[in-house]
Amino acid sequence: MFGGAAVSAALPLALTSVASAEDRLQAAKQGVKIKIVTAEPLLVSYPGGGIWVLTRIRTDQGVDGIGEGFCESAESARAVRAEILKIAPSLIGMDPLGINAFVQKFKHLGKGRFWTSAVAAMEIAMWDIAGKIAGKPIYDLLGGALRTRIPVYQTWGAFNLEESIEKMAAAKAEGVQMLKCDPFVTLPWRTVGERVEDLPRPEDIKATVSYLARLRAVLGEDYKIGCDGHWRMSVEGAKRMAKAIEPFKPVFFEEPTSLPNDPEDLKAVAASTSIPISTGEHFETIEQAASALSSGVVSFIQPEVTWNCGILETFKMASLAEGMGIRIATHGHVSPIGIRAASHINAVIPNLFFQEHPGISWQDWPETLFEPPDRVQAGHVILSDAPGLGMKLNEAELKKRQMNE
């Protein structure tokens, strides 16, 4: 029947104590009702002092899924975890295949990036379950792959200057076809949304020009380079900086101003330069994306799947952008589940430019928590046809690295 001789056809498989995990998965595929029984956040450390906020959803048919919410600090990790704990009780008894209904309900029940990151963590785990039930990779559930080799770029800069140039040269030699840097090496860091009136200073522009001149000398005149402003400039300052970096032919100028999604700010900077403008890392919902794109001047968007409510919302953003002739370069933090989820989207969308991927750029350690790790070859992520996300947690490693709060 389902591969287990002891399973009775008259008894629902979920109620039989002898049903194996394979039996339960087959039952789910055969249409046996599946329900969520637990949804838990997992705070997990990674080398260098970082924290991942993971989610694991378990079902009554033994089909589990994993997801991830975006964080960049211990404080934000705990904030996302707190939001996951608010959502989790409402998921008990739900059908994990009701992904669209889940997103439409929950994205409007809270506000802010911690909330939408928590929604994303749950949503990605639900997609993982859906793929396992179907026996298909997520990209097949999204309409089928146009590609399973995803071109990636790596990000450098805003770190050690000399080391960043050396490692970008090494990445190019390994076949990476594009790199992104934050060449604005002397600009102070600011909070997103904090209006800036005094930056950049003349010395900031001078330092940026010097850095890009050295980088071009190493990488060559025609190699693709993106410049990430990390929302640290005033509108007028971004205009001055854009003019200064134009000779270095950046592929894009990302989030130049302190209000990175503001349509008027985007229009003002774009009108002053020939450099294409990009934004999108801070989109939380499709509505925010639509507002920014209404500026009519954005050439690339960089949505972060673990921040903006998950795979379905990111896919909608890509579709919105496609209709406007805008290309996608998904954001990629040091987050293996987020990177894998983005790869599934990028396999399907026709308007892909590149996927941001940490590769060797931050992750200089052998990561053993996720199995199997990403295959990165000659500047591409190679997706498998494994069901769901195509990765699982190493339980022994999880026990070593899971944090108590």
Side-chain angles (χ1 to χ4, degrees), residues 51-258:
I51 300 175
W52 287 317
V53 186
L54 311 183
T55 298
R56 176 158 51 193
I57 293 178
R58 298 187 187 275
T59 70
D60 62 349
Q61 296 296 335
V63 187
D64 302 343
I66 54 174
E68 181 179 5
F70 183 87
C71 72
E72 72 282 351
S73 66
E75 181 182 6
S76 66
R78 293 184 177 93
V80 173
R81 177 183 180 274
E83 301 290 43
I84 290 172
L85 289 173
K86 291 177 186 176
I87 296 172
S90 300
L91 267 61
I92 307 307
M94 280 182 53
D95 181 350
L97 304 185
I99 297 170
N100 192 27
F102 165 76
V103 174
Q104 291 307 308
K105 177 181 179 180
F106 282 90
K107 81 172 185 177
H108 298 298
L109 291 182
K111 295 184 69 175
R113 64 190 180 98
F114 300 140
W115 179 261
T116 56
S117 296
V119 172
M122 298 296 201
E123 193 259 14
I124 293 168
M126 292 167 77
W127 277 105
D128 192 26
I129 291 169
K132 290 174 180 176
I133 290 172
K136 297 283 187 180
I138 291 171
Y139 60 74
D140 272 352
L141 305 187
L142 292 172
L146 296 175
R147 62 189 75 80
T148 53
R149 289 173 53 87
I150 314 298
V152 300
Y153 71 78
Q154 292 179 4
T155 297
W156 286 98
F159 306 104
N160 179 283
L161 182 61
E162 297 300 328
E163 182 183 0
S164 70
I165 291 178
E166 290 175 8
K167 291 198 173 183
M168 280 192 274
K172 178 186 176 183
E174 291 173 1
V176 177
Q177 300 168 26
M178 176 180 164
L179 292 160
K180 185 173 78 175
C181 63
D182 181 336
F184 314 106
V185 291
T186 60
L187 276 178
W189 287 92
R190 299 292 181 94
T191 301
V192 177
E194 176 188 350
R195 179 61 81 176
V196 175
E197 301 295 346
D198 57 347
L199 295 174
R201 302 157 298 195
E203 59 265 34
D204 298 322
I205 294 176
K206 182 177 179 181
T208 297
V209 168
S210 175
Y211 177 89
L212 286 175
R214 294 177 61 193
L215 190 59
R216 272 289 175 218
V218 171
L219 297 180
E221 290 299 313
D222 297 322
Y223 188 79
K224 293 183 179 68
I225 298 174
C227 293
D228 190 348
H230 280 118
W231 59 90
R232 289 162 27 231
M233 302 177 216
S234 68
V235 173
E236 292 304 315
K239 291 179 182 179
R240 296 193 299 273
M241 185 64 83
K243 281 298 180 186
I245 67 176
E246 274 182 0
F248 301 103
K249 301 183 291 186
V251 173
F252 53 67
F253 190 4
E254 178 182 350
E255 294 194 330
T257 67
S258 55

